[in-house]
Amino acid sequence: MSEFDLVVRSRRVVVPDGERALAVAVRDGRIAALADYDEPPPARETVDLGEVALLPGLVDTHVHVNEPGRTHWEGFASATRAAAAGGVTTIVDMPLNSLPPTTTVSALEIKKKAAEGQCHVDVGFWGGAIPTNLDDLEPLLAAGVFGVKCFLSPSGVDEFPALDPGRLIEAMRRLATLDGLLIVHAEDPATLTDPLGPTYPEFLDSRTQDAELRAVERVIDAAALTGCRAHIVHISAGSCVEPLRRAQQSGIRVTAETCPHYLTLSAEDVTSPAFKCCPPIRESTNRDTLWHGLATGTLMGIVSDHSPCPADLKGLTTHDYTSAWGGIASLQLGLPIIWTEALSRGYGLPDVAKWMSAAPAALIGLPTKGTITIGNDADLVAFNPTGQFTVNATKLHHKNPITPYDGHNLTGLVQTTWLRGQTLNDHAQGQFLFAPHQQS
């Protein structure tokens, strides 16, 4: 056997069936062999991590990059640099908050041109479904988006309006004929209310669990009617877990995700509008149900919903939760955030890798991402599971130094990230990824 390009050894390699002491051999950007830790094959470069864990690169399918148009909020260079520093080797960009939104193939091309040469990790794209673009859904899928996103309630930006119940059904009927995936921001507009004042409790009262539950039930019913694959983004309400479980058991094609902030923060923690997001961070008693949903597989995984903005839009000086932009910035921090909480709840690194790597990769149909398996891309993360640090927002690669985790003590340090066997650094090495249904 000729020598490999790279061998990374660890006594804690996280593979699909657990942790093993292995030597992971890389050739031409792919995992070419898994050998015994004590008998590594010859390679041009060998890295011995010892007790530092080796995880598959994280796959974050819910990132608002905002470029072009709102690049001062976040851009491809800053977002993907933050991703790489956090062990995320693949992101999928959301269609809204950029101008134009990704609701046509021409808008997708504009976004790709804006991202070209700036990506430090691999990048894919979601399309959007709005009332006026249902004829664009098939061309968007053919152009390689991984699915299309819609809102059932106002999105927060005028150029991305919500689908009413009739258009939701029509969009799902069209997507079902293509086996396309619809991802849904599920809050019921009829149940949402205007906040009675500027405080967080008043904001929370305006977006109840019932608003989320009713919208999730609407999507479940529509998926059952149309046969469309549907995915509920950022589940915050524990009350949604049981209806999702029942739907999945009955064969309805619906999945759901949650996010680090819903699993680790609580309404009682909120101290500033840096915590504001939609749906909102709920009471601490809600978190146990979300973790149970993950443990049982009803919630398939964890993604960031990284949605940053500049300080003047976040209301940090006024503390007005009504007018502040709703979005959490955490792209660089997701792995240690989740590991800190998972560790305290008795979960292991294989659980975290499943939720943050394998499941998101499977959702969008990327068979060569998400696991340390022979033939997969050599997207790897050296992660010290016992290292500790205090979050300093000004030291993160996010364009705007705002995060509710500022000052939090976290366990777990990302030491090195490899993309297709190459150590990630200041050189932008990322590639565009396209869905398997892309036409040649």
Side-chain angles (χ1 to χ4, degrees), residues 69-331:
R70 294 187 173 97
T71 311
H72 58 297
W73 294 21
E74 191 73 280
F76 282 99
S78 54
T80 58
R81 187 178 287 113
V88 179
T89 51
T90 299
I91 68 168
V92 185
D93 173 64
M94 282 291 163
L96 72 158
N97 300 342
S98 57
L99 295 170
T102 315
T103 53
T104 64
V105 172
S106 61
L108 174 63
E109 293 302 317
I110 290 170
K111 179 165 282 192
K112 286 162 56 180
K113 186 174 181 180
E116 196 168 301
Q118 294 200 76
C119 299
H120 296 262
V121 301
D122 287 352
V123 174
F125 304 94
W126 295 108
I130 60 175
T132 57
N133 85 324
L134 298 189
D135 289 339
D136 293 292
L137 301 185
E138 183 173 1
L140 279 166
L141 291 176
V145 301
F146 286 97
V148 293
K149 180 179 186 177
C150 74
F151 278 71
L152 303 188
S153 56
S155 71
V157 290
D158 293 339
E159 66 274 6
F160 204 96
L163 296 183
D164 62 30
R167 286 190 175 90
L168 174 68
I169 294 292
E170 177 60 21
M172 294 179 80
R173 287 191 190 281
R174 294 186 183 216
L175 290 169
T177 65
L178 306 166
D179 199 30
L181 176 64
L182 183 71
I183 64 173
V184 186
H185 180 124
E187 289 181 287
D188 176 35
T191 311
L192 300 177
T193 61
D194 292 329
L196 297 178
T199 69
Y200 188 75
E202 290 166 313
F203 169 70
L204 182 60
D205 286 343
S206 74
R207 305 185 90 100
T208 63
Q209 290 210 29
D210 193 45
E212 198 170 350
L213 175 60
R214 291 187 181 198
V216 166
E217 290 174 337
R218 180 179 302 160
V219 175
I220 290 171
D221 290 344
L225 177 67
T226 63
C228 181
R229 290 191 295 139
H231 178 74
I232 312 295
V233 297
H234 51 48
I235 289 287
S236 78
S239 58
C240 296
V241 173
E242 179 58 21
L244 285 164
R245 185 193 66 80
R246 291 197 303 267
Q248 291 164 1
Q249 284 198 332
S250 68
I252 298 171
R253 303 174 78 192
V254 61
T255 54
E257 69 191 33
T258 190
C259 303
H261 38 283
Y262 302 129
L263 294 165
T264 65
L265 302 176
S266 66
E268 297 90 336
D269 299 325
V270 171
T271 56
S272 84
F275 290 75
K276 181 184 175 182
C277 56
C278 298
I281 294 165
R282 304 192 186 279
E283 296 83 358
S284 57
T285 53
N286 184 69
R287 289 183 302 193
D288 290 345
T289 308
L290 297 179
W291 279 98
H292 180 71
L294 281 168
T296 57
T298 303
L299 301 179
M300 45 69 66
I302 305 169
V303 292
S304 69
D305 190 11
H306 178 71
S307 186
C309 73
D312 61 329
L313 296 179
K314 201 60 179 167
L316 300 179
T317 56
T318 64
H319 276 249
D320 185 343
Y321 291 86
T322 303
S323 59
W325 176 259
I328 300 291
S330 65
L331 179 57

Side-chain angles (χ1 to χ4, degrees), residues 335-355:
L335 180 54
I337 289 168
I338 289 299
W339 175 238
T340 301
E341 185 74 13
L343 189 63
S344 72
R345 290 174 176 267
Y347 297 106
L349 289 174
D351 298 307
V352 172
K354 176 177 67 176
W355 295 327

